[in-house]
Amino acid sequence: MSDSRIDVAIVGAGFSGLYMLHKLRKMGLKATIFEAGDGVGGTWYWNRYPGARCDIESMEYSYSWSEELEQDWEWSERYSPQPEILDYANHVADRFELRDDIRFSTRVTAAHFDEEANLWHVTIDSGETVQARHVVMATGCLSSPNKPEFEGEADFEGETYLTGLWPHEGVDFSGKRVGVIGTGSSAIQSIPIIAREADALTVFQRTPNYAIPAHNHPLDPDYAATIKSEYPAIREEARDQAAGFVGSSTEHDDLAIELPKEDVRAELEKRWARGGLTFMASYPDMGISLKTNDIAAEFIRDKIRERVDDPETAELLCPRDYPAGAKRMCVDIDYYETFNKDHVSLVDINATPIERITAKGVQTSDQEYEFDAIVFATGFDAMTGTLAKIDIRGRGGAKLSEKWAAGPLTYLGLMSTDYPNLFLVTGPQSPSVISNMMVSIEQHVDWIADCIGAVGDGVIEPIQQAETEWVEHTNMIASMTVYPYAKSWYLGDNIPGKPRIFMAYLGGVPEYRKICDAVIEQGYAGFALNGVPSNAKVDPMEFMEVDERLLPLIAEREAA
Ligand code: N01
């Protein structure tokens, strides 16, 4: 039964939902956030595993929409740890008095569009239904943890943990024998910390990852003050860079493939010393040419060999089967050095696969490993997993999960045809996970707020052709890169049965922003407003600067 009516239902109280609520309130609209957790913070609320921290620098991984907030807040480290980022989210919720319009411990189970009333009926887990003119899915890109099933799990007599759903009270591994399954970012961050506590730690690795050192350090107050004094310009610079953070655009115009290898390695050495995710932005062809990419891949492998004492373990930790950066690049603090500790060991589960979980631990084809605790650092059903769990029905009762059965279909990653007034923050086919999420979140929230303001009591949705062409454009851009050469969650490879489609927009943050702005400037080109399709069209290629020098490299790669 419907008993309440609001203008906008926002799903999720992470950084997207909080800013969306603030923005809509300022417009005088009645908005409510529905949040499954009992606090704000989204990914930073759930991912409390030891060592969790951001790998975009904190001075940039923060809101830019309140000058007072950005001036007042003090970050303590270059890359802030999860508790501090969660404190920040809580501070924002308090400072802007957002909690009054957040319903905590409330999971949205369904959203059905009523074509006659042009309203959404949003159902929550108590069975209550709320009517909303608009729905904003601020549900995050990595919010559905993936827990693969292993035979015999129920028999295990010890404790089990999932990095993406970590207990709020924390876990003390002192004196325990611990097994970690997975070696992605979450594992790479948590393994060194777990190793400090545990009596024995065994890591089960299926695919080694490339990791760049964070070189994390306490934030120098003078440095922070300098950034704060130049914040508007720095924020603008970040928005104008390929992945929405300073240093993510290539600084060199030269192609690495045309340079002596020693020069390329010298440049990579500088970037290694700087640390963090700017490593891959060294040359324009790094993410295009497999030959160039292999210089970076070999460089990282050499660093792993330097950092890990035991040559056999070092070789196991070296990724070989896919290009550097094609799976999400990891940023580490002492990850490789952790394997130099006598009580830490690595098991290659390609050579000796996990057969089952037993009462005592993990049985591989080779031996049984006994544990007091097993940590599953097994990732997420990314980008679409959370949306698929909500029964979203648009025109004609069509289920979004069925429409997206062969892969997500959106226009700009913001909306999907036949789902009027349903918005996605950092949805599939937008820069999202390839970018500084804060920059992308702010851009989407601003765009959605403008759109909701323009639509008023009406309805808006993408025209089918605009959506189809955007998906084609997104796929075409991805195919120009080395990303498809790895099995990754970007492509849905980690979830059995998930269609293989690259789920983020790789055309660059600045280009993407210009496309979204042009759509608005041309009166919502590619959209139908109140059933009337716009005549205007925005061609994304007009915003792309294609570097002609890269085309033969792509052709050569594809021919190989
Ligand atoms: O997940 P992952 P994650 N048997 O999917 C393995 C963001 N993030 O939570 O590679 C055995 O990367 C799997 O093996 P394989 C960031 O965007 C950000 O670590 O599929 N192993 C892999 O090793 C990141 O990319 C931050 O062969 C299995 C691991 O589990 C994203 O979240 C911090 C398995 C999963 O790695 C996801 O990272 C943390 C099985 N059945 C995360 N199934 C920061 O910003 C899976 N694996 C700092």
Side-chain angles (χ1 to χ4, degrees):
M1 287 292 293
S2 294
D3 58 2
S4 55
R5 169 88 183 264
I6 54 179
D7 295 313
V8 187
I10 303 167
V11 188
F15 285 119
S16 307
L18 293 178
Y19 180 37
M20 192 79 246
L21 175 60
H22 174 71
K23 189 99 191 172
L24 293 169
R25 270 189 182 172
K26 290 227 156 211
M27 293 163 66
L29 296 172
K30 171 72 188 146
T32 302
I33 297 183
F34 300 91
E35 166 56 55
D38 66 5
V40 300
T43 194
W44 302 106
Y45 170 91
W46 300 105
N47 286 269
R48 299 175 189 233
Y49 59 83
R53 68 176 70 239
C54 186
D55 48 22
I56 298 285
E57 296 191 32
S58 294
M59 295 304 289
E60 292 188 64
Y61 187 84
S62 50
Y63 284 135
S64 74
W65 49 264
S66 163
E67 200 189 330
E68 294 77 22
L69 173 67
E70 68 180 4
Q71 290 299 327
D72 290 352
W73 186 262
E74 310 270 355
W75 295 108
S76 67
E77 296 179 52
R78 179 183 186 187
Y79 298 101
S80 289
Q82 171 271 334
E84 194 168 321
I85 305 174
L86 189 57
D87 284 351
Y88 175 74
N90 276 296
H91 171 80
V92 170
D94 293 334
R95 183 175 186 133
F96 297 95
E97 297 175 359
L98 300 175
R99 292 182 200 276
D100 299 348
D101 288 319
I102 305 177
R103 290 182 63 176
F104 291 107
S105 305
T106 303
R107 189 174 285 281
V108 169
T109 56
H112 293 181
F113 186 64
D114 176 340
E115 288 185 66
E116 290 200 358
N118 280 340
L119 283 174
W120 283 90
H121 298 278
V122 177
T123 308
I124 56 178
D125 45 5
S126 64
E128 182 193 345
T129 301
V130 174
Q131 293 181 0
R133 174 73 59 194
H134 304 273
V135 175
V136 178
M137 291 295 177
T139 38
C141 299
L142 294 155
S143 47
S144 230
N146 169 42
K147 168 62 194 62
E149 280 181 20
F150 293 91
E151 207 188 314
E153 263 177 73
D155 302 338
F156 183 57
E157 289 164 357
E159 305 146 16
T160 57
Y161 301 101
L162 188 57
T163 45
L165 276 180
W166 202 258
H168 287 201
E169 62 280 13
V171 181
D172 182 4
F173 289 110
S174 314
K176 295 195 169 145
R177 299 159 304 166
V178 183
V180 174
I181 298 179
T183 50
S185 290
S186 303
I188 283 178
Q189 289 188 329
S190 55
I191 282 166
I193 312 292
I194 297 174
R196 279 189 218 153
E197 284 179 10
D199 258 16
L201 173 62
T202 307
V203 177
F204 295 90
Q205 171 185 273
R206 189 163 70 180
T207 312
N209 258 296
Y210 296 94
I212 309 295
H215 299 315
N216 188 40
H217 52 71
L219 208 55
D220 173 3
D222 291 341
Y223 169 78
T226 307
I227 299 281
K228 285 184 179 181
S229 69
E230 297 167 9
Y231 243 148
I234 286 170
R235 301 292 196 185
E236 211 39 57
E237 192 182 347
R239 291 180 198 115
D240 204 31
Q241 299 243 336
F245 58 95
V246 176
S248 60
S249 282
T250 49
E251 286 160 21
H252 295 278
D253 192 40
D254 299 328
L255 296 185
I257 201 136
E258 291 168 352
L259 296 172
K261 200 170 164 183
E262 311 78 70
D263 291 7
V264 176
R265 284 184 70 100
E267 173 63 26
L268 294 175
E269 193 70 64
K270 270 198 272 170
R271 286 168 181 269
W272 187 267
R274 187 194 297 174
L277 290 174
T278 58
F279 181 84
M280 287 305 289
S282 45
Y283 295 95
D285 48 339
M286 204 48 98
I288 301 288
S289 155
L290 289 173
K291 275 190 196 158
T292 305
N293 188 284
D294 199 47
I295 302 174
E298 190 53 32
F299 179 93
I300 300 173
R301 286 191 286 267
D302 287 345
K303 291 290 185 190
I304 296 172
R305 291 175 187 122
E306 281 170 25
R307 294 173 71 182
V308 178
D309 296 342
D310 172 44
E312 217 174 295
T313 306
E315 289 313 313
L316 278 183
L317 287 165
C318 284
R320 283 186 190 76
D321 300 339
Y322 64 95
K327 271 163 107 75
R328 161 67 143 72
M329 186 61 89
C330 299
V331 178
D332 88 282
I333 301 178
D334 295 337
Y335 174 63
Y336 294 109
E337 290 77 6
T338 299
F339 290 94
N340 297 334
K341 297 184 177 195
D342 289 341
H343 70 298
V344 178
S345 54
L346 182 67
V347 177
D348 172 10
I349 56 171
N350 295 304
T352 56
I354 295 176
E355 289 182 342
R356 56 177 290 128
I357 307 280
T358 65
K360 293 204 161 96
V362 173
Q363 175 72 55
T364 68
S365 60
D366 178 48
Q367 69 172 90
E368 185 179 20
Y369 297 84
E370 295 190 4
F371 298 121
D372 303 302
I374 300 175
V375 174
F376 296 94
T378 42
F380 300 87
D381 184 352
M383 308 297 290
T384 56
T386 304
L387 293 171
K389 284 185 186 154
I390 304 173
D391 178 16
I392 301 172
R393 298 184 193 215
R395 292 197 188 280
K399 286 187 84 163
L400 187 70
S401 55
E402 285 173 10
K403 176 180 172 183
W404 287 11
L409 301 168
T410 74
Y411 183 39
L412 304 171
L414 278 160
M415 298 191 85
S416 193
T417 307
D418 287 335
Y419 297 82
N421 293 2
L422 181 106
F423 299 91
L424 312 168
V425 185
T426 61
Q429 286 131 5
S430 74
S432 60
V433 290
I434 295 294
S435 67
N436 176 354
M437 287 299 289
M438 280 293 195
V439 164
S440 290
I441 283 169
E442 288 191 352
Q443 185 230 347
H444 267 193
V445 168
D446 290 343
W447 193 99
I448 291 167
D450 281 349
C451 183
I452 287 176
V455 169
D457 284 340
V459 282
I460 189 164
E461 66 191 291
I463 299 165
Q464 185 60 62
Q465 191 188 350
E467 177 174 289
T468 305
E469 288 176 5
W470 180 254
V471 174
E472 283 170 8
H473 171 69
T474 301
N475 292 341
M476 184 271 290
I477 301 268
S479 72
M480 293 172 82
T481 73
V482 298
Y483 278 97
Y485 288 73
K487 283 191 195 161
S488 73
W489 59 258
Y490 290 138
L491 286 136
D493 288 313
N494 62 331
I495 305 295
K498 195 163 172 172
R500 192 165 205 268
I501 178 166
F502 197 85
M503 291 186 285
Y505 182 62
L506 287 170
V509 164
E511 292 80 358
Y512 175 78
R513 294 173 75 90
K514 284 180 198 147
I515 293 165
C516 292
D517 289 349
V519 162
I520 292 190
E521 277 155 23
Q522 296 188 33
Y524 291 93
F527 286 89
L529 195 50
N530 299 323
V532 181
S534 156
N535 289 326
K537 186 175 169 175
V538 169
D539 176 2
M541 288 312 290
E542 279 178 19
F543 298 85
M544 320 293 301
E545 268 183 47
V546 179
D547 184 342
E548 300 285 336
R549 299 171 304 165
L550 298 176
L551 300 179
L553 300 183
I554 295 169
E556 185 190 338
R557 187 191 74 209
E558 283 174 358

